[in-house]
Amino acid sequence: MRTEWVAKRENDTVRTQMYYAKAGIITEEMEYVARIEELDPELVRSEVARGRLIIPANINHKNLEPMAIGIAARCKKRKMGIVSRGGSLMAAWMMHYHRENPFYTAYDEILDICARYDVSLSLGDSLRPGCLADASDEAQLSELKVLGELTLRAWEKNVQVMIEGPGHVPLNQIERNMKIQREYCHEAPFYILGPLVTDIAAGYDHISSAIGAAVGGWHGASMLCYVTPKEHLGLPNAEDVRAGIIAYKIAAHAADIARGRKGARDIDDAMSDARYAFDWNRQFELALDPERAREYHDETLPQDVFKEAEFCSMCGPKFCSYKITQNIMENTDAIAQIAKEVKAKSAS
C-alpha cells in the first residue's frame, strides 16, 4: 500500500496534504496522525483542508509528529489553553501561515550560530500549565519530550542547554515533574517558574509560588524564576520585585538546607545564636532582608537602647522565653555547683 501510495503521489501534479484533504482523500499521513492523536481520520482530513491543522510531511521531513494539531488538539482539552505569551504568539503564527515553527525549522542553523558564539539556549516552555487543572497534562509532557530531542541535537554541536519548567503545579505533583524532566531531557538543567501550588493567591502569588519553588529546588531544580505579588494582576513596581526576590531567596535557601548542601545551614545556626544572645544588630545583619528586619523591630522599639534589650515587643521584658530559659539554666548550674560542693565537703 505504501509503495502504491508513493507512486500515486509522484504522478500527481499537486502532492500536498492540503490538496488531498480538499479532494476528500485521507492520506497515510493523516491516518498516522489520527492514530497517535486518537482522533477520527475524517476530522484530521477536514482540519487539514480548512488550514487549522498541518502535517509537515515533505520529502525531507520524515518526522510526522504533528505540530499545529499537537497544539490545537492537546490545548483544546485544557481549562486555560496556552498561557505563555511567546507560545500563544507562535501558535497563532503557525496557524495563520500554515507553517511549522520557524525556530524549529531553522534549529540547526540556530545551533551553528550559538556554537560559534558560545550562546546557551533556554528551551521551552510554550505549553506550560497556567492553572492546576492543566498541570502535568499531555500538552505539557509532549512538549517536554520535544525539548529532550532538541537538547540532544544541541549537545551534538556542543551548545549548552537549560530547560524551562512549569508555572502551576499542585504540591503533590512537583516531585514527579522533576523526575520526568530529568528522564525526558537527559538531566539537562531545569529551571522553574514557581511553580504556584494554588490558583487563588492573587496578590500573594510570590508566596504560593515560593512554596512550590522550595519543593522544586529540593527535588533538583537548577534555577528558580521569581514571581512578584503582582503576578496575574499587573506590572510590578520596585517594592513588588523586592518582595518576590526575597521570597525566592527563602525558597532557594530552604531547598539548599533540605538537600544537605554543605554549609547551607551555617547562617541559620548563627542567627539562632544571635537571637538567643539578644544580639539585635547581628540578627539584622544575618537576615535575608536586613533593612526590613530592622524596620519591623524599630516600629515599636526605635531607640538605640533597645538594640541591647533582652526582649522584643512581642513578649516584653517579663515574658521572654529566651530570658526565662536562660534564668532556668543559670539556676540549674548554680544548684549543680552547690550540690557538687556539698558532696565534696561530705566526702572530706
Side-chain angles (χ1 to χ4, degrees), residues 278 280 297 301 306 308-313 315-318 320:
F278 298 102
W280 294 103
H297 175 271
L301 300 172
F306 290 114
E308 299 178 3
E310 296 185 344
F311 63 90
C312 70
S313 61
C315 298
K318 294 183 178 180
C320 175

Side-chain angles (χ1 to χ4, degrees), residues 36-57:
I36 66 171
E37 295 295 332
E38 299 182 353
L39 297 172
D40 180 25
E42 175 55 26
L43 174 63
V44 174
R45 184 207 62 77
S46 64
E47 289 297 291
V48 171
R50 187 173 176 178
R52 294 197 302 189
L53 183 159
I54 66 169
I55 302 177

Side-chain angles (χ1 to χ4, degrees), residues 111-166:
L111 290 177
D112 289 337
I113 295 172
C114 291
R116 188 180 311 145
Y117 296 99
D118 194 17
V119 175
S120 298
L121 290 177
S122 176
L123 298 178
D125 74 31
S126 297
L127 300 181
R128 67 176 178 268
C131 61
L132 300 187
D134 296 338
S136 310
D137 69 350
E138 183 184 10
Q140 176 195 338
L141 299 184
S142 295
E143 181 186 43
L144 201 59
K145 289 182 180 179
V146 174
L147 297 180
E149 296 169 4
L150 296 180
T151 295
L152 293 179
R153 288 170 61 183
W155 287 348
E156 288 175 359
K157 297 199 175 189
N158 297 313
V159 174
Q160 299 180 99
V161 170
M162 63 179 174
I163 308 297
E164 300 176 12

Side-chain angles (χ1 to χ4, degrees), residues 313-329:
S313 61
M314 179 175 288
C315 298
K318 294 183 178 180
F319 300 102
C320 175
S321 58
Y322 300 167
K323 189 59 179 176
I324 294 171
T325 300
Q326 290 171 3
N327 290 337
I328 292 173
M329 296 304 177

